[in-house]
Structures are given as structure tokens and as C-alpha cells.
Amino acid sequence: MLMCKSLYPKFKQMKKYLFIKFMFLSLMLSAQDQLKGVILETSSGKEMPLSGANVYWLDSSIGAITAEDGTFTLPYKFSYNQLVISYVGFKTVTVTVNENKYIKHVLQASDELDAVEITSRKQATRKSYLEASNTFTVTSAELLKAACCNLAESFETNPSIDVNFADAVTGTRQIKMLGLTSPYILIATENIPAIRGASQAYGLSFIPGTWVESIQITKGTGSVVNGFESIAGQINAELVKPTTDDNLFVNLYGGSNERLELNTHFNTKVSEKWSTGLYLHGNTHQKKHDVNDDGFMDMPIYNQINIMNRWQYTNPEKGFVSFINLKYLNDEKQAGQVNFKPETDRGTTNFWGSEINSERFEVTTKLGYVNPEIPYQNLGFQMAFSHHNQDSYFGLNLYDIEHNSFYSNLIYSSIIGDSRHKVKTGLSFTYDHFDELVNTTNFERVENSIGGFFEYAYDNLDKLTMTAGVRVDQHNRLGFFVTPRFHLRYTPWEKSALRFSIGRGKRSANIFAENQNMFASSRQINILNSGGKIYGLDPEIAWNYGVSYLQGFNLFDRKADVTFDFYRTDFQNQVVVDWENPYEVNFYNLEGDSYANSFQFEFNYNVFEHFDLRMAYKYYDIQTDYTSGKLEKPLVPKHRLFANTSYETEVKANGAHWKFDATYNWLSSQRFPSTDLSATQYQLPDETPTVGTLNLQVTKVFSPKFEVYLGGENVTNVRQNNPIISPDNPFGSNFDSNFVYGPIFGSLYYAGLRFRIQ
């Protein structure tokens, strides 16, 4: 006891010494020198930021991945003198660093490196071996393989996204991921949720393809930073920037269906720090087509005017970058019978017709700040307001919706110790006011939520990358809830990436806005629940689990890779859209099981110089417990085959060359919803025929300034002859336009030109 007392002062003094030493070391670590820099690539003669590039010290586990603006920050000490910079599809370089000065390096494209899709130049689709999430980037080079008139038409050459028509009247294109429709996908522009609420049905056609710089597609659950609604995945469209886009860009398009389109971009530098761009889009189609002679137009006639004014502020000395977007849209569609005239036939039974008139105004801002003294600390703020008004009718069904939305998100990012340990945290607030008129019934509601999130990312740039996040939200209708998300990437051996993800999502189902195609029928609309807070329904809740494996290898001395992925979505609660009775569509909350299994195999191969092949097979198993029993989801093929080939000739000294692209899609038979209760002449078989379509495009590039393109969609002229049930009696009880499984119009040919001044 005496010994213990005698040692206590020494022990206390030692504790004080160790504490001071620990604090000193901590301060030394936190005050260590930092190496800052930016990584660029050359595109169309311009230097552009390269995001996602790997930057690390040779023979160490200290590294970073470049941000969206190409910048990076690394801990620096004298013993670090060899900096390795790499990106799939570019030459890996090792730069000698003698002091912690600012590094600026332009990576050169290479065909000697590992890539998910190998081309002789820059990859059209990039998939990282290092990211924790299963995310790949579709670049502008990939978007140019098809006409790509709007975002809905930007996925024709991508095997992970399915594109089809929702009905035979409105011409709406619907996308699916993992077998689930777009409401289960978080669709954003520059990481601000964009296609939601009132814009869910037609919003993809409101984003012109020429405005899109690249698209990031994440399969499976998304990041907690972007919200709680993502279930099947996330699609983020990065828009062109005034500082990197062409000073003048013109795109003219004309189709054999007499569709015309014009896109023009004007970009200028206002001052040293301010740049602005004016983006104009217009398209029109005024020809009434009825190829199958059923009395209905095969596609609507329409006019769209779309304008965006974009401002960019960049101040690298102070660490600020900001974007301000102002958008205005007016979109008018007319569909229905060929002889329908709105001024005389609306609201009557003379002829069946539909008009969908949408007007939309948006303001979005993004502000980013990087601390010049502590570059790994940065702050971002996003804010968006939109007013969307749609006046529409479908025969005698009336549907109007007004949606005012406000979104804000504050994000703080930093590191713990070194750049292997990154954290993001922040707060978000959303407000939505819906005012809907469905025939004679008014549905009005307000939704608002405030939430906080925290995300930790570990990245050793070698074997393991992990992202774990959680967010908590207080929602006036969904209540208080927690959303966890987790992504893991492991590299078992060279040129490989094994990924695993799991996460939870929750959302309000906007049953009318998301299922407007059901108005184009004589079905009676029923909501069978009454106790919930959204149309009497409870919110949807689902878990998504996924595993993916990517392996690169050489085949006959040419680069190749394969990807296997499997995802499962389990609904704990779902709003079931039940149209198994041909005279009704019923909405009710799930009682029982509902799940979606998705398996995909993808093979990419650089067959020979400048010639690339991409093939994919997909299998879907989607089952739901309806009131009539467990059934496969209707009009979803179990099997899909996809093939895409692209070839480019050698680029001449003046930049001239040819590009050739072909895409083939084959769909297995699909289950028709039950028509057993219909009259005999309106009953359909249990399954659809198989469908195969072929798209072709040829592009002649005369110079970096001018190119022309010629293409064909569905060149084999596959058509569904009778997509509408009872078209001769559209006001009768059997009329329905929702049994669409294939093309309606047949072959479509188009031509266009692109002109740019850099």
C-alpha cells in the first residue's frame, strides 16, 4: 500500500508527460504538409477535369481519388517523392515530387491499359475497379452512339437500363433498373433529385441529350448523402459546363416520322471568374401516323420549348466554385384518334383524344468551398426550387397536377488522420406541395422532412474500399426513421473487383403521377386502403442487397472483361398497382411477399484495333402477392439479350474519321395481365411473343468542328400490330392501351448534323 502511494506521483507525472506527447504528435500529424493538385484530360482540344483518377504515393497506402473538378489533396512528407497517377483507359505516370508544390498534370489516353470497355481512344463507358459502389460513367462519346434527343433516349446502348413504352397512346418512354420502374430509382441532375413527383412520368424527356455531359449510373442502393428514396439505384446526369463546353454548339435532327429538333449552346466568359451559357432546345412533331390502321395515332404530336441559363463562378485562390441554373419548359402533347380535334371533341364521345400540357420553372444553385489552408476540408451547399404544372385529360378522364418543390442539402467533407479515412456529414430539408385533380376528386397534401446524415469511407487504394452511411429523417407523413447504407469493394487479385452492397429505402408513392398511363383506358380506379397518410396508403419500404464481380483479362492479346452481378429487392411494404382485372386498376398496400431478383452477365472485348464488342444477358424474377395470389410482374421479360458493336476508322490529320455503331436487343416472352373476365374477342394469350430490335448509326466526322450522322431505329421493322384493345369503341368498357410489349411505329430513320466552335 505504501509502495502504491509512493509510485502514484510518478505515475501521475508520467500520464501528464504521455498526454502532452500525444497532443504534440496529434498536432504534428494534423499540421503535416499537404500536396494539392489537379488532374486533367484532353477532350476536343480542351483540358477538362478528370474525376475519379487515382493519385497515391509509390510503395505506400496513402492516396486519394480526384473530385468532380479533378482536384486532390494528399498528406506530404520528405520521404514521399514518387507520385503515381492512374485512370483506366489512360497512361499511368509516375511524377517526381521534390516539394509540396501545386501539381497540375494532364493524363494521356492509352489503349494499353485495363478498361471495362476498351476503345482505341478514350473510353465511352468507364467503370472503376476501385470505387466501393457499383457505379459506372457513361460519357458523351457513348451518348453520341445514338440520336440521344433527350435523357429518356440516352440508354439505348446501355445494357443495365431497360427502355420501353408505357402505353400505346402517350408515347411515354419508361426506364427500368433491376426490373423496377423509375420511381424506385433516384434520378438527379448534378446530384440534386430532379425526376420525382409531378415530373415522374414525362420528366426524362424534359432533359435534352445535348445538355448532358455524362451520366453516372449506380446499381443497387445509393448514398445516404442524396436522400432516403433510392431503392433500386441512382442515375445522375452531369450537365455541360460553361467553362468547358463549346463556345457555340448546334445540333440539328430530323426523323422519317417528321420529328424535327434543334439544340443550340452559347457559352461565353463574362469576367475572370464568371462564365455563362445559354442553352436552347426545341422539338416538334406534327404528322399524324397510323401505320396499323386502328384509328389511333401511333405517336403523339407535340411541341416543346426548353431553355436553360447557366452561370458558373470559379475562384481557385479563395476555394470557391458555384453554379446557378435557371430553366423554363413548355411541353404540349396531343394523342388519341387520328380524327380527334381538341377544339370540338374535348369532353365529348365524338372521338377519343388526350392533351398533356406541362409548364415547368426551376432554379438550382450549388456552392462549393475548399479550404485553401486545409484542402481536405470542404463544404457544399445545394438548393433547388421547382414549379411544375400539368393540365391533362385522357378521353373523359381528367388529371391536373400542380407541384411546388423545395430541396436543400448542406454537406461537409473531411478526413480522419489521412486521406484513407474520409467522412461526410450534413443536413437536408425538403418541402413538397401537391395539388391534384382526378376527375372530380381533389387530392392535396404537403410533405416536408428534415434529416441528417453521416458517411464514412475507407480506401487503401489496394485491396479494400468501404463506404458506410446512415441518415435519420423526421417526415410529417412518413414519421421518424433511420436509413442505413453500406458498400464494400475487395480486390482478391489483379484486375478484379468484388463488390457487396446493402441498404434501405423509403418513399411516398405518387400513385396518379407515376401511373398516368392507366388513365388511357376505361378502367375504374380504386384505392383499397384508407388508413395511411398518402392517398390513404402507407409509405413504401424496401431493402436492396447486391453482389457484383468484375474481372479484366487478355483474350488473344486483346483487352477484355466480364461482369457478374446479382441484386435482390425485398419490399417490406409496397403500394401494389394491380390491374389483373381488365375493368379496374386497384392500389393497395402489400400483404405478403414482393421481391425483384436481377442477374446480369456482361462481356466487353476489344476484338481488334478500333473495334469493340459489348454483350450482356439479363434474367429477372419479379413476384408480388396480389389479392388474386402470387404472380409475376406483368410485361417484364424474364430473359434479355443485348449486343453492341462500335468501330471507328483512323483519325486523319485534320480530325476526319468515320464511326459505326449497332445495337441489338432481344426480349423473351412477357406475361400479359389477366383478361379472363373480358369478352371472348378481347381476351389475350397468357404471354406475348418474343421481340428483337436492331438500331444502327453511321457518323462522318469531317473535322473537330463539323460532323453528320445517319441512323435507324428498329431497322428490321418489328411491330406490335394490335397494341390497343377495343380501339373501335374507345368509350366502351373494354378499351385499354396498356398492353404494349414492343414497337408500335416500326422502322424509324433519322439524320442530323453537329457544328461546334470551341
Side-chain angles (χ1 to χ4, degrees):
M1 190 70 165
L2 290 174
M3 185 180 296
C4 291
K5 288 183 178 180
S6 64
L7 289 175
Y8 180 73
K10 294 182 179 180
F11 175 70
K12 191 173 182 181
Q13 185 177 3
M14 184 178 295
K15 273 178 60 179
K16 184 177 180 181
Y17 168 75
L18 290 173
F19 176 76
I20 293 172
K21 185 176 181 180
F22 174 77
M23 290 296 294
F24 176 75
L25 288 173
S26 299
L27 289 171
M28 289 291 290
L29 286 171
S30 63
Q32 64 181 329
D33 290 334
Q34 301 286 332
L35 176 73
K36 297 184 291 183
V38 62
I39 307 301
L40 307 168
E41 63 171 317
T42 302
S43 179
S44 302
K46 284 188 174 183
E47 292 183 356
M48 299 181 63
L50 184 60
S51 65
N54 305 305
V55 184
Y56 58 95
W57 295 112
L58 186 66
D59 298 327
S60 83
S61 59
I62 307 301
I65 297 177
T66 56
E68 288 184 9
D69 59 357
T71 59
F72 71 91
T73 303
L74 280 176
Y76 173 79
K77 58 184 180 181
F78 182 74
S79 59
Y80 296 155
N81 56 14
Q82 297 292 305
L83 185 69
V84 181
I85 308 171
S86 68
Y87 194 96
V88 177
F90 293 81
K91 293 180 180 178
T92 299
V93 296
T94 302
V95 179
T96 300
V97 179
N98 295 319
E99 55 181 326
N100 61 331
K101 61 181 181 180
Y102 191 81
I103 297 293
K104 176 182 177 182
H105 189 84
V106 181
L107 281 184
Q108 302 299 318
S110 171
D111 57 358
E112 301 298 323
L113 295 172
D114 308 328
V116 168
E117 182 189 356
I118 302 297
T119 66
S120 58
R121 297 166 184 84
K122 187 169 66 174
Q123 293 169 260
T125 300
R126 303 172 183 168
K127 185 178 286 188
S128 173
Y129 283 85
L130 298 176
E131 289 188 24
S133 61
N134 188 7
T135 301
F136 54 95
T137 300
V138 178
T139 69
S140 57
E142 181 73 19
L143 297 177
L144 295 179
K145 289 183 177 182
C148 190
C149 296
N150 56 57
L151 189 60
E153 300 167 326
S154 300
F155 304 103
E156 299 288 352
T157 63
N158 189 294
S160 295
I161 305 294
D162 305 319
V163 184
N164 58 5
F165 289 100
D167 61 80
V169 171
T170 65
T172 307
R173 286 182 183 252
Q174 183 183 71
I175 67 168
K176 296 179 181 178
M177 183 188 292
L178 309 184
L180 299 175
T181 53
S182 57
Y184 298 107
I185 308 167
L186 194 155
I187 304 176
T189 55
E190 300 186 318
N191 288 312
I192 296 177
I195 312 300
R196 57 188 299 273
S199 65
Q200 189 69 66
Y202 310 110
L204 287 171
S205 65
F206 296 164
I207 302 177
T210 63
W211 293 7
V212 179
E213 181 181 77
S214 63
I215 303 172
Q216 293 81 45
I217 301 174
T218 300
K219 299 180 74 171
T221 185
S223 168
V224 294
V225 176
N226 301 118
F228 53 81
E229 293 180 326
S230 170
I231 291 175
Q234 178 173 317
I235 297 174
N236 178 57
E238 281 293 322
L239 305 182
V240 293
K241 314 292 191 295
T243 56
T244 55
D245 191 25
D246 301 306
N247 292 333
L248 171 65
F249 175 81
V250 178
N251 176 60
L252 287 171
Y253 168 95
S256 60
N257 60 349
E258 301 189 33
R259 171 182 176 178
L260 299 173
E261 182 170 318
L262 170 66
N263 294 279
T264 57
H265 303 180
F266 303 94
N267 293 283
T268 186
K269 190 170 185 178
V270 179
S271 65
E272 181 182 355
K273 295 180 175 62
W274 282 98
S275 297
T276 188
L278 181 64
Y279 307 88
L280 306 175
H281 168 89
N283 67 67
T284 183
H285 173 244
Q286 298 301 315
K287 177 70 173 180
K288 295 183 177 181
H289 299 275
D290 183 15
V291 177
N292 57 10
D293 295 321
D294 63 358
F296 277 76
M297 289 188 287
D298 298 324
M299 58 186 70
I301 57 176
Y302 51 79
N303 290 295
Q304 185 185 115
I305 298 295
N306 210 334
I307 303 170
M308 177 173 68
N309 182 212
R310 186 161 164 82
W311 291 82
Q312 180 176 353
Y313 174 81
T314 307
N315 187 340
E317 293 82 9
K318 299 292 186 181
F320 285 101
V321 61
S322 179
F323 291 95
I324 303 172
N325 297 336
L326 305 173
K327 297 181 188 177
Y328 173 77
L329 166 95
N330 185 273
D331 184 78
E332 299 177 345
K333 295 183 177 72
Q334 179 189 324
Q337 289 184 293
V338 175
N339 295 324
F340 175 78
K341 295 180 180 179
E343 57 273 16
T344 59
D345 301 327
R346 176 177 177 174
T348 74
T349 57
N350 298 334
F351 296 99
W352 195 99
S354 170
E355 285 188 292
I356 307 167
N357 299 324
S358 301
E359 190 172 38
R360 184 177 177 88
F361 176 74
E362 294 180 57
V363 180
T364 61
T365 63
K366 292 180 66 176
L367 174 64
Y369 170 72
V370 178
N371 189 334
E373 303 298 325
I374 313 175
Y376 54 78
Q377 291 183 355
N378 57 78
L379 190 68
F381 179 68
Q382 304 168 320
M383 186 177 68
F385 170 79
S386 65
H387 169 77
H388 185 110
N389 187 71
Q390 176 186 319
D391 296 322
S392 56
Y393 61 90
F394 305 80
L396 299 180
N397 284 323
L398 178 68
Y399 180 65
D400 294 339
I401 180 171
E402 182 179 299
H403 179 194
N404 291 310
S405 176
F406 177 80
Y407 169 87
S408 61
N409 201 18
L410 181 67
I411 310 167
Y412 172 75
S413 303
S414 187
I415 65 173
I416 303 174
D418 58 53
S419 59
R420 291 174 297 177
H421 308 274
K422 301 181 180 70
V423 292
K424 289 182 181 179
T425 188
L427 297 171
S428 61
F429 174 76
T430 62
Y431 171 89
D432 294 285
H433 177 258
F434 297 93
D435 191 2
E436 292 177 284
L437 179 64
V438 182
N439 293 322
T440 58
T441 305
N442 182 259
F443 296 89
E444 185 177 6
R445 75 182 193 275
V446 170
E447 293 190 21
N448 58 68
S449 69
I450 185 167
F453 56 86
F454 179 84
E455 186 175 79
Y456 167 75
Y458 172 76
D459 184 1
N460 67 3
L461 289 177
D462 183 16
K463 291 288 186 183
L464 185 68
T465 306
M466 179 192 72
T467 302
V470 64
R471 65 176 295 134
V472 294
D473 290 271
Q474 177 63 51
H475 193 285
N476 68 321
R477 293 181 182 267
L478 278 62
F480 177 83
F481 56 97
V482 179
T483 306
R485 305 275 173 84
F486 179 79
H487 297 268
L488 177 71
R489 186 273 307 174
Y490 175 68
T491 301
W493 43 72
E494 188 179 3
K495 299 180 184 178
S496 67
L498 178 64
R499 291 182 171 92
F500 171 76
S501 66
I502 183 173
R504 182 179 188 262
K506 192 171 185 177
R507 63 179 294 271
S508 301
N510 294 285
I511 58 174
F512 300 118
E514 295 166 8
N515 299 280
Q516 293 185 43
N517 54 297
M518 290 297 170
F519 291 123
S521 71
S522 295
R523 294 174 180 269
Q524 180 179 332
I525 300 172
N526 302 313
I527 302 174
L528 303 187
N529 295 74
S530 59
K533 295 184 177 181
I534 306 109
Y535 308 105
L537 300 163
D538 292 325
E540 296 189 294
I541 303 172
W543 283 87
N544 182 277
Y545 320 85
V547 60
S548 175
Y549 179 70
L550 167 66
Q551 180 66 61
F553 57 95
N554 288 335
L555 181 62
F556 304 115
D557 295 323
R558 308 298 301 182
K559 298 295 182 181
D561 67 78
V562 293
T563 303
F564 301 87
D565 63 47
F566 175 79
Y567 287 88
R568 179 181 175 91
T569 306
D570 272 317
F571 286 92
Q572 292 183 341
N573 195 26
Q574 184 181 29
V575 173
V576 178
V577 184
D578 184 347
W579 48 304
E580 295 299 320
N581 183 326
Y583 302 109
E584 299 176 350
V585 54
N586 295 309
F587 298 97
Y588 52 85
N589 282 115
L590 175 72
E591 291 186 7
D593 294 329
S594 181
Y595 61 84
N597 292 328
S598 169
F599 169 79
Q600 179 171 324
F601 164 76
E602 185 177 334
F603 171 70
N604 295 278
Y605 184 39
N606 179 217
V607 183
F608 53 84
E609 194 72 14
H610 308 313
F611 183 84
D612 299 297
L613 171 67
R614 180 190 302 154
M615 302 176 67
Y617 164 74
K618 286 195 290 189
Y619 171 79
Y620 290 138
D621 178 25
I622 305 174
Q623 308 259 353
T624 300
D625 277 332
Y626 295 88
T627 55
S628 55
K630 180 171 286 188
L631 297 170
E632 291 181 2
K633 189 174 179 63
L635 296 177
V636 176
K638 272 198 168 185
H639 308 278
R640 286 179 179 255
L641 295 176
F642 170 92
N644 174 263
T645 60
S646 61
Y647 174 71
E648 294 187 27
T649 62
E650 288 283 354
V651 180
K652 297 181 180 179
N654 62 353
H657 62 286
W658 288 85
K659 296 190 288 186
F660 304 88
D661 297 284
T663 303
Y664 178 76
N665 276 286
W666 179 86
L667 311 181
S668 69
S669 60
Q670 308 167 46
R671 186 183 75 83
F672 271 135
S674 176
T675 55
D676 292 344
L677 298 179
S678 300
T680 304
Q681 65 269 32
Y682 301 122
Q683 292 183 4
L684 298 176
D686 293 337
E687 294 187 339
T688 72
T690 61
V691 176
T693 59
L694 177 65
N695 297 345
L696 302 173
Q697 181 173 287
V698 179
T699 304
K700 169 60 177 176
V701 180
F702 292 94
S703 71
K705 293 184 178 180
F706 182 69
E707 62 187 66
V708 297
Y709 55 91
L710 175 68
E713 297 180 0
N714 186 23
V715 297
T716 52
N717 200 32
V718 175
R719 286 192 295 115
Q720 180 180 347
N721 291 323
N722 301 300
I724 298 178
I725 295 178
S726 186
D728 56 334
N729 186 19
F731 296 99
S733 60
N734 293 286
F735 173 72
D736 204 323
S737 67
N738 291 290
F739 289 78
V740 178
Y741 62 84
I744 299 171
F745 181 74
S747 298
L748 168 66
Y749 297 94
Y750 60 86
L753 63 86
R754 303 182 184 100
F755 174 75
R756 54 175 58 88
I757 298 176
Q758 299 173 350

